Amino acid sequence: MTEQTFEQAQVELEQIVERLERGDVGLEELTKLWERGEELYRRCAEQLAGAQGTIEELARRLDAQQT
Amino acid sequence: MKVEATEVEGRKVYSVRAFNQGIAGYIEKLPTVWVEGEVTELRRQDRWASVFLTLKDPEDGACLAVQMPRGQFDGLRLELQNGERVHVYGRPEVYAQRGDFHLRALTIERYGLGAHLAALERLKQKLAAEGLFAAARKRALPRIPALIGLVTGNDAAAKRDVLSAITTRFPPAHVLVAETYVQGPRAAPAIATAIADLCARGVDVLILARGGGSFEDLLPFSDERVVRAVAECPVPVVSAVGHEQDTPLCDLAADVRASTPSVAGRLVVPDLAELRAWLDRAHAGLGRGARRIVERHGERLATAHDRLRRAPLLALERRRARLDTTRGRLLALSPRATLERGYAIVRSGDALVREPPAPGTPLAVEVAGGPFGARSE
């Protein structure tokens, strides 16, 4: 669970919203789903807001090509 | 190497060995050059250390023996055939033992559009037959890549286009760039190595980008090594090589073909603004859905409570109604209703009188209005 990608979180959040919109959820389960949904939302939002992109150069391997 | 001559009767005389070595030493100092010619008498065997061929001048048939170490020759994967026009890069060399002279090739390149096209077509057919270009092999790109690999030349344009497209659309993107040769004889192995290196570093999508160039410039991207590296790449590959009209073979093997490096950049990342909007919608949907469910449960509870409260009264009423009905049915069955219609019940003692009694028998008569005594006559 901790290694969940944004994409997986996205899919799970969509599924939870769909279930809630369909409405056939008991109150106890609703609490669980809603909390999980909020957590996923928070995680996605953090990933979108916090992460600064990086551009890294791979060291060139000229020696490997010189035969 | 110092070549010693001996003095014989006033002459300087060289041994054959010394002479050949002297020539070899002299010739080896000549520069490395490109020689153009037609391949003839190509001889290659697995157990030989070298590959031999004769380069023929198409104008006047002049010949030049060429040798190349077999490993290097195989490494080029030219699948050369007799009659093809090539450029051989090498230096002259003398085999001192035999006094033979040849060109020692460092690399060989196919030359001339026709020969290239034919070779390309052969390779294309071969790889297509292996299924490398099959539509079923194409994979979907990740919706949000964790690490994007970019293989590109150090020519600024293609690299800059890809990177700016990516960072404009999706600023949090992580990109790992492998700069490499993108033209010339070193390019194909270098590109294949770069692809493998990036995959080893854990990229989950890979872009192969190169700006436009001449047919020859783009040839490395049709090289079998590159095409195979693309096809065998464990993650999806987006190919953006050359211009729209160029179709290097790596484009056919890639999972997605982009018309330009910018398009490739846009293809591999989602739009951050759209993603944010999606996230907001999902969050709103989460709250709305939860609220609606709570409301629905609340309504159901209220209805149940209401019914609960009304239940005793309802039960009472229902019982009373049933009582009334029963009473009605009871009344309908009772003899009283018959008496009301003018009939009478006649008793003698406790028994009902159904036969005419003996005269003088005392009788009790009951009519609707009440009982009275009588006597039969």
Side-chain angles (χ1 to χ4, degrees):
Chain A
M1 269 310 177
T2 47
E3 282 300 303
Q4 195 182 33
T5 63
F6 186 96
E7 200 171 329
Q8 288 164 332
Q10 194 180 19
V11 171
E12 196 185 338
L13 180 54
E14 270 168 355
Q15 284 169 347
I16 287 176
V17 171
E18 254 171 54
R19 277 208 63 189
L20 293 191
E21 280 173 349
R22 235 182 298 130
D24 52 349
V25 175
L27 276 177
E28 221 169 285
E29 203 187 355
L30 170 68
T31 313
K32 272 187 212 142
L33 282 178
W34 183 75
E35 274 173 5
R36 177 75 183 145
E38 283 290 331
E39 190 194 333
L40 290 167
Y41 163 75
R42 217 168 30 247
R43 222 185 275 175
C44 286
E46 272 168 16
Q47 263 175 286
L48 290 189
Q52 187 55 48
T54 58
I55 292 169
E56 192 192 337
E57 301 273 348
L58 197 65
R60 295 178 71 171
R61 303 204 327 188
L62 291 181
D63 49 334
Q65 278 107 53
Q66 273 169 349
T67 42
Chain B
M1 177 187 299
K2 188 135 168 51
V3 180
E4 300 288 350
T6 46
E7 283 276 334
V8 181
E9 295 166 10
R11 289 177 182 160
K12 274 178 85 178
V13 176
Y14 295 93
S15 69
V16 172
R17 176 165 170 265
F19 177 80
N20 281 1
Q21 279 176 348
I23 294 291
Y26 185 74
I27 277 184
E28 273 163 19
K29 292 194 186 85
L30 291 173
T32 311
V33 293
W34 286 99
V35 183
E36 179 184 333
E38 214 175 87
V39 176
T40 57
E41 299 171 334
L42 177 65
R43 285 147 291 156
R44 183 201 165 283
Q45 292 207 11
D46 285 342
R47 59 197 160 84
W48 293 351
S50 292
V51 173
F52 305 89
L53 61 91
T54 303
L55 212 52
K56 199 170 93 183
D57 190 307
E59 298 291 317
D60 73 349
C63 287
L64 170 64
V66 178
Q67 280 188 26
M68 188 176 202
R70 188 173 50 77
Q72 277 179 39
F73 179 85
D74 289 351
L76 294 172
R77 302 205 192 201
L78 283 171
E79 302 191 22
L80 217 49
Q81 295 185 343
N82 284 325
E84 287 199 79
R85 190 76 76 85
V86 291
H87 282 177
V88 179
Y89 188 62
R91 53 185 160 71
E93 197 176 61
V94 169
Y95 180 42
Q97 188 64 31
R98 293 179 52 88
D100 281 350
F101 156 78
H102 61 257
L103 186 68
R104 182 171 189 81
L106 300 176
T107 190
I108 300 176
E109 285 182 17
R110 195 173 263 113
Y111 173 73
L113 200 61
H116 273 307
L117 285 174
L120 219 59
E121 190 54 33
R122 280 199 302 276
L123 181 61
K124 187 175 165 181
Q125 297 300 332
K126 180 178 121 182
L127 297 179
E130 282 184 36
L132 252 62
F133 308 145
R137 286 184 58 111
K138 308 293 179 206
R139 294 160 292 191
L141 303 179
R143 276 159 82 175
I144 301 171
L147 183 59
I148 302 162
L150 171 60
V151 177
T152 180
N154 58 2
D155 79 294
K159 180 176 159 185
R160 191 195 51 223
D161 287 355
V162 173
L163 291 178
S164 85
I166 288 175
T167 51
T168 304
R169 195 167 145 83
F170 191 69
H174 298 284
V175 189
L176 190 55
V177 185
E179 262 186 24
T180 177
Y181 299 110
V182 289
Q183 66 191 66
R186 285 169 170 177
I191 294 165
T193 307
I195 292 174
D197 284 353
L198 287 178
C199 288
R201 293 283 296 270
V203 302
D204 54 0
V205 65
L206 198 138
I207 300 176
L208 195 55
R210 189 206 191 284
S214 70
F215 177 80
E216 276 84 5
D217 286 346
L218 297 183
L219 273 174
F221 291 89
S222 290
D223 187 286
E224 185 171 355
R225 286 163 290 185
V226 170
V227 181
R228 285 196 187 280
V230 168
E232 285 158 14
C233 184
V235 299
V237 179
V238 179
S239 171
V241 176
H243 293 302
E244 187 69 53
Q245 72 277 8
D246 305 315
T247 308
L249 298 186
C250 70
D251 269 11
L252 303 178
D255 296 279
V256 177
R257 186 190 171 203
S259 54
T260 66
S262 299
V263 171
R266 283 197 294 276
L267 278 174
V268 297
V269 287
D271 186 297
L272 182 64
E274 272 175 27
L275 212 58
R276 284 226 172 92
W278 163 82
L279 193 61
D280 288 345
R281 275 200 309 279
H283 194 213
L286 193 67
R288 202 171 44 238
R291 215 158 35 241
R292 200 182 308 146
I293 288 171
V294 170
E295 274 167 16
R296 198 173 303 165
H297 279 281
E299 278 164 21
R300 208 184 296 167
L301 187 67
T303 313
H305 187 215
D306 211 37
R307 285 173 62 194
L308 186 70
R309 245 190 353 213
R310 278 185 314 179
L313 202 65
L314 212 64
L316 205 66
E317 268 169 20
R318 201 172 295 150
R319 213 168 295 160
R320 185 177 301 148
R322 205 158 79 197
L323 198 65
D324 285 351
T325 315
T326 314
R327 184 159 167 269
R329 285 167 65 196
L330 197 68
L331 281 178
L333 290 172
S334 119
R336 183 155 299 279
T338 313
L339 296 187
E340 293 287 355
R341 295 210 300 272
Y343 292 88
I345 298 167
V346 181
R347 287 193 186 86
S348 167
D350 282 342
L352 282 173
V353 177
R354 290 196 171 84
E355 299 295 329
T361 309
L363 302 168
V365 179
E366 193 171 348
V367 295
F372 63 91
R375 195 172 294 274
S376 71
E377 290 180 0

